[in-house]
Amino acid sequence: MIPLTYLLHFLEEDIPFGDVTSEAVIPEDLEAEAVIIAKQDGVIAGLEEAKALFEHFGVKVELKAKDGDKVKKGTVVIKLRGNARKILLVERTALNIIGRMSGIATQTRKLVEKVRAVSPKVKVAGTRKTLLKPLDKKAILIGNGEPHRFSLSDAMLIKDNHLALVPLEEAIKRAKAFSIYKVVEVEVESLEDALKATNAGADVIMLDNMTPEQIEEVLEALKREGLRDRVKIEVSGGITEENIQDYAKLDIDVISLGALTHSVKNFDVSLEILKGD
């Protein structure tokens, strides 16, 4: 689970001086029951994080679903009982977390299922195009995707801006000499550079913004040269829900999409108070 200290940061942003509305309107000792309801079909995520936040404030939590479950519109995913002020204090932060994580998990699962229908071996991965990495990476995993690098420290990805400063073969040589424990991936945009990167010892080559036809040319060239088994193939750029199966049909290993995190649609959930006493 995501550390509570990380989650509390989001809540602290929302209540720098407390929840003035609830403190003004709701009696201090009022107890209440509430539910969190899915307002659409999809893959639910973020329930464990919401549970941790509510429990931190003394609210009793009963999970009616678990992260990764497919739920229908109208499904109660959490039941709550506790101090009414505390429930309302946490409400929006918890819903924001569930909504974002469920949106990512739902879209990831949809794409993973489309890819697996064509090729069970091809992975679907996210990218670092997010500022909410702990939540977003976990949501991708819940959706059965691959999180890719968590940070710049995890693996080496030599991109176009690196290659604008250092030649491709030299960049790979320097990366390999730097550490024997880090995967070295190189972003390439041409057949020539794909062959250069593989011959220079790259562990993964990312074929960036290539059409399926261009990628097939690279794959055929790698096979002719006896290089295909020496390198993992990742494709990225211009890939959508509509065309992802065209890429999955190819002899590749990973499809990565920044859209899983940088432009995902929030999953609709709501909290409803049932009664107070």
Side-chain angles (χ1 to χ4, degrees):
M1 196 199 77
I2 305 300
L4 179 61
T5 51
Y6 179 82
L7 303 174
L8 287 172
H9 170 73
F10 297 113
L11 185 59
E12 288 163 3
E13 285 184 339
D14 202 32
I15 53 165
F17 305 105
D19 174 5
V20 295
T21 307
S22 296
E23 290 171 15
V25 173
I26 306 298
E28 186 175 1
D29 59 352
L30 183 65
E31 294 287 303
E33 292 182 8
V35 292
I36 294 178
I37 301 171
K39 306 290 282 186
Q40 65 182 82
D41 298 351
V43 177
I44 202 72
L47 299 184
E48 290 292 341
E49 284 67 35
K51 179 175 183 287
L53 281 173
F54 280 113
E55 289 183 340
H56 179 73
F57 289 93
V59 177
K60 293 182 180 178
V61 179
E62 181 183 357
L63 296 183
K64 306 302 289 184
K66 65 179 184 297
D67 288 334
D69 283 351
K70 284 188 174 181
V71 299
K72 296 289 187 181
K73 179 180 179 180
T75 300
V76 172
V77 295
I78 293 181
K79 285 188 174 181
L80 304 166
R81 181 171 180 83
N83 182 271
R85 286 189 183 182
K86 300 303 184 185
I87 291 174
L88 296 176
L89 183 81
V90 178
E91 174 186 4
R92 177 42 52 196
T93 300
L95 293 180
N96 285 348
I97 290 171
I98 295 171
R100 180 169 179 83
M101 291 184 69
S102 298
I104 293 170
T106 296
Q107 184 64 8
T108 301
R109 184 78 58 85
K110 182 187 295 185
L111 295 182
V112 166
E113 290 176 353
K114 287 177 75 76
V115 166
R116 285 181 178 172
V118 174
S119 176
K121 82 178 184 71
V122 176
K123 306 292 186 182
V124 174
T127 71
R128 284 176 45 255
K129 293 179 181 178
T130 171
L131 287 175
L132 303 175
K133 282 182 282 189
L135 298 176
D136 291 358
K137 296 292 190 180
K138 182 178 179 181
I140 289 171
L141 287 167
I142 289 171
N144 296 334
E146 295 283 335
H148 213 285
R149 292 188 300 171
F150 185 86
S151 72
L152 289 172
S153 304
D154 294 336
M156 298 185 193
L157 175 48
I158 301 169
K159 296 172 68 69
D160 54 352
N161 282 335
H162 300 105
L163 298 177
L165 300 167
V166 180
L168 188 151
E169 289 99 336
E170 182 184 345
I172 295 172
K173 181 180 179 180
R174 291 170 68 91
K176 288 285 188 177
F178 185 83
S179 173
I180 63 171
Y181 296 106
K182 300 294 185 184
V183 170
V184 176
E185 180 171 3
V186 184
E187 179 185 277
V188 299
E189 297 181 354
S190 70
L191 169 58
E192 179 185 4
D193 283 347
L195 291 172
K196 281 184 182 179
T198 305
N199 277 311
D203 301 297
V204 184
I205 55 173
M206 177 193 290
L207 305 180
D208 190 39
N209 286 304
M210 289 189 182
T211 66
E213 292 74 22
Q214 291 171 321
I215 292 169
E216 187 60 51
E217 289 180 13
V218 172
L219 293 169
E220 289 175 359
L222 289 172
K223 289 172 185 174
R224 280 197 308 270
E225 298 291 329
L227 300 173
R228 176 62 186 92
D229 292 338
R230 284 172 47 180
V231 69
K232 296 289 186 184
I233 305 293
E234 177 179 343
V235 301
S236 190
I239 300 168
T240 65
E241 184 177 338
E242 290 70 34
N243 67 18
I244 195 168
Q245 288 186 321
D246 295 333
Y247 290 88
K249 292 174 184 176
L250 304 172
D251 178 27
I252 60 174
D253 300 289
V254 183
I255 298 172
S256 59
L257 304 96
L260 287 178
T261 52
H262 69 56
S263 56
V264 70
K265 185 176 180 181
N266 225 47
F267 187 90
D268 193 6
V269 284
S270 68
L271 184 148
E272 296 182 10
I273 297 289
L274 299 180
K275 64 178 181 179
D277 50 51

